[in-house]
Amino acid sequence: MEMRNVAVIFQKQIKDTFKNKEILIQFVLFPLMAFIMEKLIQVEELPQNYFVNMFASMFVGMAPLVSIAAVISEEKEKNTLRVLMMSGVKPSEYLLGVGSYIWIACMVGALAMGMTGNYKGRELVVFLVVMGVGILASMLIGAAIGTLSRNQMMATSLTVPVMMVFAFLPMLAGFNENIKKIAKVAYSEQVGILIGRVGAFHVGFENVFVIVGNMLIAVLVFRYAYRKCGLA
């Protein structure tokens, strides 16, 4: 693997993000909403950092998934990937370059939300680790969708329902016990549960089992998508 190729893809994504406002807003929207809601709405009955934690779990279920699916499907549609492969860039190098950029961009958003919630020291580290794992899980799902899709329109059609499920289940679970039971099988809900435990952090078997299980399913779907469609 040529790290130079990975670095070139990484730099390309930075430039492309500022041209593609739809992707840029994914990195900014939820951290901004968390900051506004946390600072402007003060209700005594709400748990501490209620809005930060809620928007953090929604951010995990939406931003990385939508972003990487959009990037891969767009470059497939424009034949950019074919040009890159013909130039000697391996699929693994391309995925690492794109994936590392989106992961870092999302982690910057996660850091902003952690600071909004006044997490410090160990709490901030735990918050970022949980967010990082959740972002990676979303990226695997998004990469599978982007690889399966022939073009951006198809990617959007597949991404929207998947994103709605993973992004909004944690919020809805807080208001409905029946939804909460269903939501437990989603990695984004488990991420939300772990974020809520940042102060007195502990990881249960269910948390690990669901998150790892979701990631394994995403990897299997991606392998199927890759073998069926490829990246070139």
Side-chain angles (χ1 to χ4, degrees), residues 12 18 60 66 81 88 123 125 139 152 161 174 199-201 216:
K12 176 182 178 297
F18 289 100
V60 163
V66 172
L81 283 175
E123 289 186 351
V125 172
M139 285 173 55
Q152 288 179 276
F201 188 70
L216 287 175

Side-chain angles (χ1 to χ4, degrees), residues 13-223:
Q13 291 309 312
I14 295 176
K15 295 176 182 178
D16 288 350
T17 296
F18 289 100
K19 297 177 184 177
N20 192 333
K21 300 300 187 293
E22 293 179 3
I23 293 179
L24 180 61
I25 198 171
Q26 295 294 328
F27 300 142
V28 176
L29 179 62
F30 285 105
L32 181 61
M33 289 292 293
F35 178 81
I36 293 172
M37 298 292 282
E38 195 68 40
K39 300 304 179 184
L40 294 185
I41 299 180
Q42 303 294 329
V43 181
E44 292 183 4
E45 290 79 10
L46 290 178
Q48 186 178 9
N49 291 330
Y50 175 81
F51 291 110
V52 167
N53 295 348
M54 181 181 73
F55 283 114
S57 57
M58 292 176 70
F59 179 74
V60 163
M62 183 180 290
L65 192 157
V66 172
S67 299
I68 197 165
V71 169
I72 293 176
S73 62
E74 179 182 7
E75 297 198 353
K76 281 185 68 179
E77 183 177 358
K78 293 181 177 179
N79 287 324
T80 309
L81 283 175
R82 187 176 297 278
V83 173
L84 288 171
M85 301 311 161
M86 290 177 66
S87 301
V89 177
K90 298 177 182 177
S92 57
E93 294 168 349
Y94 171 77
L95 289 171
L96 182 58
V98 172
S100 60
Y101 167 68
I102 291 175
W103 190 85
I104 290 171
C106 288
M107 287 303 292
V108 171
L111 177 61
M113 285 188 279
M115 294 175 68
T116 298
N118 291 319
Y119 292 124
K120 297 177 182 178
R122 177 181 175 274
E123 289 186 351
L124 181 60
V125 172
V126 170
F127 179 83
L128 292 176
V129 169
V130 172
M131 290 290 287
V133 172
I135 288 166
L136 180 59
S138 270
M139 285 173 55
L140 290 171
I141 297 171
I145 293 173
T147 306
L148 273 173
S149 305
R150 292 187 298 272
N151 50 49
Q152 288 179 276
M153 184 175 295
M154 182 177 177
T156 301
S157 299
L158 294 173
T159 301
V160 170
V162 175
M163 172 268 293
M164 292 288 285
V165 170
F166 289 119
F168 290 100
L169 263 182
M171 179 183 68
L172 297 175
F175 299 99
N176 187 292
E177 284 298 320
N178 291 326
I179 294 178
K180 189 172 185 177
K181 292 176 184 178
I182 298 171
K184 286 183 178 181
V185 301
Y187 72 93
S188 54
E189 168 65 3
Q190 296 300 325
V191 167
I193 291 171
L194 292 175
I195 288 173
R197 298 175 183 168
V198 165
F201 188 70
H202 70 275
V203 180
F205 172 78
E206 183 180 64
N207 308 130
V208 176
F209 180 78
V210 172
I211 293 174
V212 173
N214 278 214
M215 293 176 76
L216 287 175
I217 292 171
V219 169
L220 291 174
V221 174
F222 175 77
R223 285 185 62 187

